[in-house]
Amino acid sequence: MKKIISLISFFMCLTSHAIMDKNAKIYVAGHKGLVGSAIVRQLEYEGYTNILVATSNELDLRNQAAVNAFFEKEKPEYVFLAAAKVGGIQANIDYPAQFIYNNITIEANVIHASYVHGVKKLLFLGSSCIYPRNCPQPIKEEYLLTSELEKSNEPYAIAKIAGLKMCEAYNREYGTHFIACMPTNLYGENDNFNLHTSHVLPALIAKMERAKKEHADKVVVWGSGAPYREFLYVDDLASATLFLMNYYEGSDLVNIGTGQDVTIKEVALLIKEIVGFQGELVFDTSKPDGTPRKLLNVDKLKSLGWQAQTTLEEGIKKTVKWCEAHNIF
Ligand code: GFB
């Protein structure tokens, strides 16, 4: 019976889908970032020819008048909302006001302008940190708002929850097609490798690459190394966002992940091996561990027909190779 229901819901999600024309005007907000640049690469790879982008100097997405004027002039048909202020655990602790203000204003301006200017479909990118700090694992979409959030990134999480709720509200009141997806921790080429503001995986690559170059005998890993994290290679995420834009018509949020997680210690040892750092890993427990675990349940996306292709080892190797080819360190 369950199988029949999921098949029916699968076809219901697909019935009125409108696959993007290859020459449709597609705006990727945040095209220079880790996610936005991967979405542009994926669009180009899949043969889309009319991709609209604007740097933050050309268009400050926090400025509502400027965003409306941009949409009025450009009239995009589809919008990937990948623009956001993002960062790892330390950045979230240090800049809570910037995280909540920038993210709420960007998403409010872009989602509202998409409604006003008749965008056919918008995809909003949230984050796995929207879910409660302590909820059953793997985390299902319906666990949203069932208990308190992780304190270290609560402002960011609240902003992202506001964004996904805006999409739901606009769909209900105005009949828009705004879909919200919740990716797990992401990594890949064009990531942020700044040790203070980056996420854990790029930070550990940067630390070990530099330590190798400087023949240092140790690398400091923050925290106990015990928390679990799920890591999705950003090109897989980009593939999932195009899949959802083309084939998903529901209004409920969709998790995007690999369905597998590792401890911080395990990923540090894997990076150590791939980078070829011979020294010692030292764990600094004065640094925060953050959420103990946040493994996403990816059954919904799998039932729609998509799953991640890149293993963690392959993804780290590709990222390290890209860093070395671009002399990042
Ligand atoms: O990616 P990350 O900074 O943020 O990972 P979250 C933090 C975990 O990695 C903690 C450990 O357990 C840290 O102690 N860690 C070890 C390190 N070494 C390092 C290091 O050198 N740098 C960093 N950054 N961490 C993020 C949210 O949470 O998850 C974001 O803050 C977003 O807003 C993202 O939601 C998906 O995974 O804890």
Side-chain angles (χ1 to χ4, degrees), residues 103-303:
N103 288 305
I104 280 189
T105 48
I106 288 169
E107 59 203 30
N109 290 343
V110 174
I111 292 169
H112 189 72
S114 295
Y115 153 62
V116 169
H117 298 281
V119 163
K120 286 179 184 167
K121 199 166 178 184
L122 172 143
L123 181 132
F124 172 74
L125 280 134
S127 166
S128 60
C129 71
I130 64 163
Y131 293 111
R133 172 186 163 86
N134 298 307
C135 64
Q137 306 279 327
I139 304 171
K140 292 183 178 176
E141 289 88 350
E142 60 254 34
Y143 296 165
L144 179 66
L145 294 174
T146 51
S147 71
E148 64 175 25
L149 297 165
E150 157 65 24
K151 284 294 175 227
S152 66
N153 51 44
E154 188 178 68
Y156 177 70
I158 297 274
K160 285 298 179 179
I161 292 169
L164 75 91
K165 288 297 179 185
M166 263 191 90
C167 292
E168 281 176 20
Y170 276 60
N171 293 344
R172 202 159 71 234
E173 182 171 350
Y174 301 130
T176 49
H177 295 280
F178 295 167
I179 58 180
C181 65
M182 296 300 129
T184 189
N185 286 50
L186 302 169
Y187 70 99
E189 65 178 76
N190 209 24
D191 205 338
N192 165 16
F193 294 95
N194 173 294
L195 294 188
H196 183 73
T197 60
S198 65
H199 289 98
V200 55
L201 202 148
L204 293 180
I205 290 175
K207 288 179 178 179
M208 291 192 224
E209 283 278 11
R210 289 191 183 116
K212 186 176 78 170
K213 202 174 262 185
E214 294 153 13
H215 306 293
D217 55 8
K218 68 178 182 180
V219 156
V220 176
V221 179
W222 294 352
S224 66
Y228 283 83
R229 289 293 182 273
E230 178 187 14
F231 296 106
L232 177 69
Y233 188 56
V234 74
D235 288 12
D236 281 357
L237 172 82
S239 155
T241 61
L242 267 72
F243 176 84
L244 290 170
M245 185 67 99
N246 275 322
Y247 298 106
Y248 182 61
E249 285 295 324
S251 198
D252 299 327
L253 59 105
V254 182
N255 288 340
I256 306 179
T258 63
Q260 293 166 342
D261 60 1
V262 292
T263 65
I264 296 297
K265 182 174 182 179
E266 286 165 340
V267 74
L269 289 169
L270 182 56
I271 293 168
K272 179 178 188 292
E273 185 193 331
I274 293 169
V275 166
F277 170 60
Q278 305 294 331
E280 183 195 358
L281 299 182
V282 175
F283 290 86
D284 174 3
T285 51
S286 74
K287 286 283 188 180
D289 268 348
T291 305
R293 192 175 194 195
K294 45 180 181 173
L295 175 65
L296 296 182
N297 181 305
V298 291
D299 290 349
K300 184 189 283 188
L301 185 53
K302 217 179 261 179
S303 70

Side-chain angles (χ1 to χ4, degrees), residues 1-30:
M1 187 57 182
K2 247 181 109 181
K3 265 248 179 272
I4 296 168
I5 292 170
S6 66
L7 265 177
I8 292 168
S9 62
F10 168 79
F11 286 109
M12 275 172 66
C13 285
L14 293 180
T15 44
S16 61
H17 81 259
I19 291 184
M20 295 186 290
D21 289 338
K22 295 298 183 188
N23 62 358
K25 194 164 198 178
I26 302 167
Y27 172 40
V28 180

